[in-house]
Amino acid sequence: MFDKLSGQQSQSVTILGATGTIGSQTLDVISQHPERFSIFALSANNNVKGLFDLCEQYTPKFAVMLQEAAAAELSLQLKAIHSNTVVLHGEAALNEISSHEQVDIVMAAIVGSAGLHPAMAAAKAGKRILLANKETLVMAGNLFMQAVIDGGATLLPIDSEHNAIFQVMPQQRSRQLANMGVKRVLLTASGGPFRNASLQELKVVTRAQALNHPNWVMGPKITVDSATMMNKGLEVIEAHWLFNALPEQIDVVVHPQSVIHSMVEYIDGSVLAQLGNPDMRTPIAYGLGYPERLTSGVSSLDLLTVGRLDFCPPDLERFPCLRISYDALNMGGTAPAILNAANEVAVEAFLAEKIGFMDIPHIIENVLTASSIGQVESIEQLVAIDVQARRIAKQYISTLC
């Protein structure tokens, strides 16, 4: 669609995970630029009311629920208000709205391994992918990056840390960091709600405490990952694939203010950083507008109010998930996929109050130890490995309950 008033091409957007935090913030940014973007499709897992409200407001061509029963309920509700939105369900429908010829941009914000297939479909179809789903790269980094290349897709990371690195990397990118004069990338971490907690205090952390992040508003799974620092571990693996960085070229530094979102150190001693208020609408707007800049609704950063910027190394004894993530990256092959599956199951059990906070890293490490690590060959292989790792994790959790 061409907007005559602005003289710009309006871009059609699919939002996977529209009722989640990233999805709602994406819609907020898009709402500020109605002449630039139109909503082609929205998806949700099982939040019928949430997706109904969004369909009523944004009138997408398609709405997709993961479960058939939820889709049937949504369809009835939309028909009652005479909506023209077509309701679909299932993985095949997610792949369809991600690869449809009318779609320009796909916001991949489904949490967990469920986001892998639609992200791959978007890559193969050559879409602009705003990647907010960590698991796609953690599980299938080499396969996904090759699909991006083969499909001619444009990949823009939406995690605030990777988006920051992307922004301060050289414009002319090559496959090797050293060839660009880059020495290393530094991922910043807030430290989460338990940055100063003792090991004894961590052993009695409650669900409510873990979900109380000091800086960011995120979904429950990602918030727990931030509290365990698994979130940062997954980001280390992502950075490896996104920027072709070796494990030893990726460092993590705890920065409680969450003002510096990440940094790149060059071989001449320069360190470039991207700063801003901790608001995901900044990287979302960057991805939507790239290579242009769009207003995001984020307030200006006032460094005088911030006052100071603190840094310290991560404590791998209190937060072993970060160490385990580096271990999985160094193992290579299917290890990161196993790590991811075990973590998802462990976090789900913690949120259900079946296990303790410090049981999470023990479960992950036990699943890695009990699993056979091999080379990544196909998506089908990774799906089977994901299922097996979840089974092992659930069996181990049953011994703890």
Side-chain angles (χ1 to χ4, degrees), residues 138 230 234 237 320-343 360-374 385 388-390 392-393 396:
V138 172
M230 175 55 81
L234 297 178
I237 298 171
C321 282
L322 181 56
R323 172 187 56 78
I324 298 168
S325 298
Y326 270 104
D327 290 344
L329 178 58
N330 280 300
M331 290 179 201
T334 57
I338 294 167
L339 169 100
N340 176 73
N343 179 63
I360 295 174
H362 292 306
I363 291 165
I364 297 166
E365 201 150 35
N366 273 276
V367 174
L368 275 169
T369 301
S371 300
S372 177
I373 310 299
I385 286 169
Q388 183 182 34
R390 289 171 189 273
I392 296 171
Y396 185 74

Side-chain angles (χ1 to χ4, degrees), residues 282-337:
T282 296
I284 289 168
Y286 182 86
L288 286 169
Y290 182 82
E292 300 176 44
R293 297 276 181 168
L294 300 177
T295 55
S296 64
V298 177
S299 58
S300 296
L301 175 65
D302 186 347
L303 287 173
L304 297 179
T305 299
V306 173
R308 56 184 288 174
L309 301 174
D310 297 307
F311 307 94
C312 66
D315 186 330
L316 300 184
E317 181 183 1
R318 290 186 299 127
F319 301 100
C321 282
L322 181 56
R323 172 187 56 78
I324 298 168
S325 298
Y326 270 104
D327 290 344
L329 178 58
N330 280 300
M331 290 179 201
T334 57

Side-chain angles (χ1 to χ4, degrees), residues 29-298:
V29 175
I30 286 174
S31 295
Q32 298 173 52
H33 304 277
E35 76 289 349
R36 293 284 300 265
F37 306 102
S38 62
I39 303 299
F40 178 80
L42 301 173
S43 86
N45 183 12
N46 57 13
N47 186 350
V48 174
K49 184 184 184 307
L51 196 55
F52 171 81
D53 291 341
L54 294 180
C55 288
E56 187 176 26
Q57 181 177 357
Y58 294 98
T59 62
K61 290 185 178 181
F62 296 98
V64 176
M65 306 293 297
L66 199 56
Q67 303 299 325
E68 184 176 4
E73 183 181 348
L74 177 63
S75 182
L76 285 174
Q77 292 184 11
L78 289 174
K79 285 178 181 177
I81 63 169
H82 307 290
S83 169
N84 292 323
T85 297
V86 176
V87 180
L88 306 171
H89 76 274
E91 185 180 284
L94 290 174
N95 295 345
E96 182 180 344
I97 63 171
S98 302
S99 58
H100 197 284
E101 61 180 7
Q102 293 182 25
V103 173
D104 300 302
I105 300 173
V106 176
M107 167 55 81
I110 295 176
V111 175
S113 58
L116 174 59
H117 282 96
M120 286 292 292
K124 291 176 180 178
K127 305 303 181 185
R128 174 187 294 194
I129 306 167
L130 310 189
L131 188 64
N133 169 280
K134 297 179 184 302
E135 292 76 13
T136 294
L137 283 170
V138 172
M139 289 182 67
N142 59 337
L143 298 179
F144 180 69
M145 295 304 291
Q146 192 60 51
V148 168
I149 294 168
D150 293 344
T154 300
L155 178 61
L156 296 167
I158 298 302
D159 266 354
S160 61
E161 295 82 1
H162 301 107
N163 188 268
I165 292 169
F166 186 91
Q167 291 194 46
V168 297
M169 275 284 192
Q171 290 299 308
Q172 298 299 321
R173 304 171 195 271
S174 67
R175 292 299 296 161
Q176 299 295 327
L177 291 186
N179 293 341
M180 298 185 288
V182 173
K183 183 177 181 180
R184 61 176 176 156
V185 298
L186 296 101
L187 294 166
T188 56
S190 70
F194 311 125
R195 177 172 52 89
N196 297 316
S198 69
L199 195 54
Q200 285 302 116
E201 289 171 326
L202 290 173
K203 291 178 181 178
V204 293
V205 160
T206 67
R207 180 184 190 275
Q209 289 172 325
L211 292 176
N212 186 26
H213 196 281
N215 298 341
W216 295 94
V217 177
M218 303 176 289
K221 193 267 181 184
I222 299 175
T223 305
V224 173
D225 280 350
S226 179
T228 64
M229 289 200 75
M230 175 55 81
N231 200 42
K232 209 53 49 180
L234 297 178
E235 288 172 9
V236 167
I237 298 171
E238 283 185 280
H240 165 70
W241 292 112
L242 284 168
F243 307 112
N244 198 33
L246 299 173
E248 58 268 25
Q249 294 176 307
I250 308 167
D251 284 338
V252 173
V253 59
V254 175
H255 168 50
Q257 292 87 358
S258 294
V259 168
I260 294 178
H261 297 301
S262 276
M263 297 169 275
V264 173
E265 181 182 357
Y266 288 80
I267 58 174
D268 63 1
S270 299
V271 177
L272 302 186
Q274 186 262 339
L275 287 71
N277 283 319
D279 192 316
M280 286 303 297
R281 291 177 297 173
T282 296
I284 289 168
Y286 182 86
L288 286 169
Y290 182 82
E292 300 176 44
R293 297 276 181 168
L294 300 177
T295 55
S296 64
V298 177

